[in-house]
Amino acid sequence: MLPNRYTLTAAMIVACAAAAPRAQDDARTKTPIKHLVVLFDENRSFDHYFGAYPQAMNLPGERPFHARPNTPAVNGFTDDLLARNPNKYNPIRLSPGEAAQCSQTHDYTKEQKAVNLGAMNRFVENDFATGTQGFASCPDRIVMSYFDGNTVTALWNYAQRYAMSDNHFASDWGSSAVGALNLVSGQTHGASVPNKGSDTIAGTVIGNPRPRLDVCSPLSTTLITMAGQNIGNLLNDRGITWGWFNGGFRTADGTAACSASHIGSNGLPQVDYVPHHAPFQYYPSTANGLHRPPGTIQAVGLSDEANHQYDLDLDFWAAAESGYLPAVSFIKGAAYEEGHARYSDPLAEQRFLVTMINRLQRLPEWKDMAILIVYDDSDGLYDHVQPPLANASNTSADALTAPGACGSSDAAAYQGRCGYGPRLPLLAISPFAKNNFVDHTLTDQSSVIRFIEDNWGLPRIGDQSFDERAGSIENMFDFTKNGKPRHLFLDPETGQRLEDEID
């Protein structure tokens, strides 16, 4: 049954169907992928989820994981890293019963200091959690923690069946807003002069300012808008349907749901919608500051009063399961299920991801769909790989190669964009994804928009956007495949395969 918000007449259906550029979406792709769904989760480093891949400990009482024969190796933990790590502690394996943990410090400057000029040995001193965050305590050793396939079972099973990368990085150092902006524009420069705080430097976002145009942004925080273009602008210019779908974005009566909440993993109420996790809200051209609903289901993905910013539960599934799945969809779960430590955890994240992916694979569009699982930042959690220095910066906030330095930047370069940042998980789930494949191509968060630009024939964003030099994710796919689409349905609670539903 459709939400009460949508009251359709035959005339409206005919008019909107005629206006919707769904056929244009289909015609303008370089690859067979006609629908891209980006599942955007929170705050996990590569080693934290995949450092032990593909060998799970399989302790008594834990759900077992057994890797397929000939599973390729990843750049993960070695015996030396596990037993003689240069940090204060060796990596610490957490069990499913320890899924809920404190969030670590993940600050632009402190994350650079953790690298310690390439020694990768100051994570505990710089990235440990502060306060108790609703828990009894926040031990500093958790910075060095990791899970294996007995906890992040679904992600390991997706990696077994489809493709993953072990050489994918945050575009910059820093926290959620930095990663979110890079995902949609490859650009953190262009912030308006903030009203307060130190979340920007030299006009660049390095912290978590909130979008000034969003009615849900607390007035007590740093408020900014962003200049320049994002991938939504490029899609609009070519008439390609797209949307950002956020859990807890609005109510059924079409108003902002700023205070809607669930109990988080720390046992405390957590608001569902987090403004600085919604990057298109920073841009006047793509903001829906009042969280207005779309006019009709058929309008989802088009330019109307919702301006491509939607509610996940009320708008995405109503459109997708009625034949109006946009060509490009960015998905952000409600905060309690997006994986961010403190108020979420890997098991809550697993329930969300598996539920979404199972449902997406039942759509007719699955035959030409790609799903990407990506992350905004590392939460300051340990990863042993030193990121390549791809973009220099020289501000008082930089500390990668010397105090006040992240390499040596060009005079005309935008400052405050030291990168790459930490290594992050990246998975590709698709009928065209390579099977049980680990990609070693160097990529970063802006590689997602690079793929959108290339696939739909869009120009680059320009103005020093990282999309210009982003590595390609296309090696994760085999576009010569043509046959029955592969499905993998998992149990949202356990992450284990439902064998009778695998074809």
Side-chain angles (χ1 to χ4, degrees), residues 190-274:
S192 62
V193 177
N195 61 330
K196 58 176 74 68
S198 57
D199 288 318
T200 67
I201 191 166
T204 300
V205 174
I206 61 170
N208 286 329
R210 273 58 170 180
R212 181 187 297 274
L213 301 174
D214 195 322
V215 69
C216 292
S217 293
L219 297 178
S220 60
T221 59
T222 303
L223 301 175
I224 66 163
T225 57
M226 291 293 293
Q229 291 205 107
N230 58 58
I231 191 64
N233 301 128
L234 304 188
L235 289 165
N236 283 341
D237 290 345
R238 292 293 174 87
I240 306 300
T241 56
W242 71 279
W244 177 278
F245 301 88
N246 217 117
F249 187 72
R250 68 173 181 87
T251 65
D253 64 4
T255 59
C258 302
S259 60
S261 67
H262 285 79
I263 298 300
S265 297
N266 59 359
L268 301 176
Q270 169 62 41
V271 294
D272 291 341
Y273 174 71
V274 180

Side-chain angles (χ1 to χ4, degrees), residues 24 28 150 165 181 215 261 277 368 424 426 436:
Q24 293 179 23
R28 297 180 179 181
N150 304 131
S165 170
L181 289 168
V215 69
S261 67
H277 293 178
D368 54 28
L424 306 175
L426 167 65
N436 197 16

